[in-house]
Amino acid sequence: MARFDSIEAYKSKIKKILITEEEIQAAVTKTAEIINNIYDGTPILLVSILKGAFIYMAEVYKNVTVPSEIAFMTAQSYFNDTVSSGKVEITMDIKQKLEDYHVVIIEDIVDTGRTLFEIVKILKARNPKSLRVITLLDKPSRRLVDFNADLSLFTIPDHFVVGFGLDCGEYFRNLPYIAEYNNDEE
Ligand code: 5GP
């Protein structure tokens, strides 16, 4: 786990800003507008998988004007290079009966696609009225399973990124922008 001797060492891990705070705020507004238009008055449940999407979820939720609830899940993945699916365990589940809701999953990033491929399968089996996936970031070049979100706000190249909820070793989630992480050893 990264331990930082100085603020300079900490800052040196932020290589380059890929998406600015202003661009993210515009994407948050756009996400909420799309939700407000699609679900015009019908009760919805916004679901996030902790922790990466918690800031995106909070910012979008502040701008949602249709009747809505939020819920959070945690999941443990057991993937390796030879296993591409079927290995996700929900470690904290949502309590709502999904039959009563239109469900919108709010995700931070779709990378290989394996986590959401499994979570969507699990949640669809609970017969929600409908289910959509919205992701802030998408790395299609890394995909290992046939999964795409219904809406992706930004497509990014194959870089490890931090900020706006996304961490490296639990650090950097509070950056107001999305940055490429500097993997170089000091
Ligand atoms: P998957 O590979 O199943 O699509 O993504 C699993 C999880 O890996 C994501 O929800 C996210 O938490 C994490 N992840 C994937 N790519 C990145 C990245 O570039 N930066 C960070 N901080 N997490 C990532």
Side-chain angles (χ1 to χ4, degrees):
M1 198 52 44
R3 289 283 177 267
F4 302 100
D5 299 335
S6 64
I7 187 74
E8 286 74 28
Y10 179 75
K11 284 183 178 166
S12 75
K13 302 310 283 180
I14 300 162
K15 192 170 186 174
K16 183 179 158 196
I17 296 178
L18 292 182
I19 305 170
T20 65
E21 187 171 0
E22 292 72 27
E23 288 170 323
I24 290 179
Q25 285 314 317
V28 164
T29 305
K30 182 177 165 189
T31 307
E33 276 173 9
I34 288 171
I35 291 172
N36 294 336
N37 286 333
I38 294 177
Y39 298 100
D40 189 18
T42 52
I44 59 172
L45 180 66
L46 302 175
V47 177
S48 267
I49 304 151
L50 293 173
K51 300 179 192 170
F54 83 107
I55 294 182
Y56 183 41
M57 166 72 123
E59 293 292 301
V60 168
Y61 190 46
K62 278 159 59 182
N63 292 281
V64 167
T65 52
V66 294
S68 52
E69 292 177 35
I70 55 166
F72 296 96
M73 331 173 53
T74 58
Q76 186 82 50
S77 306
Y78 301 97
F79 298 123
N80 59 45
D81 290 346
T82 54
V83 179
S84 64
S85 65
K87 298 287 177 187
V88 168
E89 185 194 336
I90 295 175
T91 46
M92 183 183 81
D93 208 343
I94 54 182
K95 296 190 173 56
Q96 285 86 350
K97 261 183 66 197
L98 294 196
E99 287 161 20
D100 299 335
Y101 295 94
H102 293 279
V103 172
V104 185
I105 298 179
I106 303 288
E107 180 62 314
D108 50 352
I109 187 164
V110 180
D111 185 35
T112 66
R114 297 187 293 196
T115 306
L116 273 185
F117 182 83
E118 295 300 326
I119 296 279
V120 164
K121 210 160 56 180
I122 291 167
L123 295 189
K124 274 191 173 165
R126 300 179 189 177
N127 296 315
K129 288 182 195 289
S130 68
L131 188 148
R132 282 189 173 85
V133 177
I134 298 179
T135 185
L136 181 66
L137 307 175
D138 191 8
K139 279 198 238 174
S141 61
R142 294 254 311 158
R143 208 69 97 245
L144 291 178
V145 292
D146 184 15
F147 177 85
N148 282 305
D150 298 287
L151 175 67
S152 305
L153 278 300
F154 299 100
T155 298
I156 61 168
D158 180 11
H159 297 313
F160 190 81
V161 294
V162 292
F164 204 66
L166 288 149
D167 74 313
C168 185
E170 295 298 330
Y171 290 95
F172 304 106
R173 291 191 198 275
N174 55 342
L175 298 178
Y177 46 78
I178 299 287
E180 183 180 345
Y181 185 75
N182 180 1
N183 270 316
D184 300 344
E185 299 292 328
E186 266 91 68

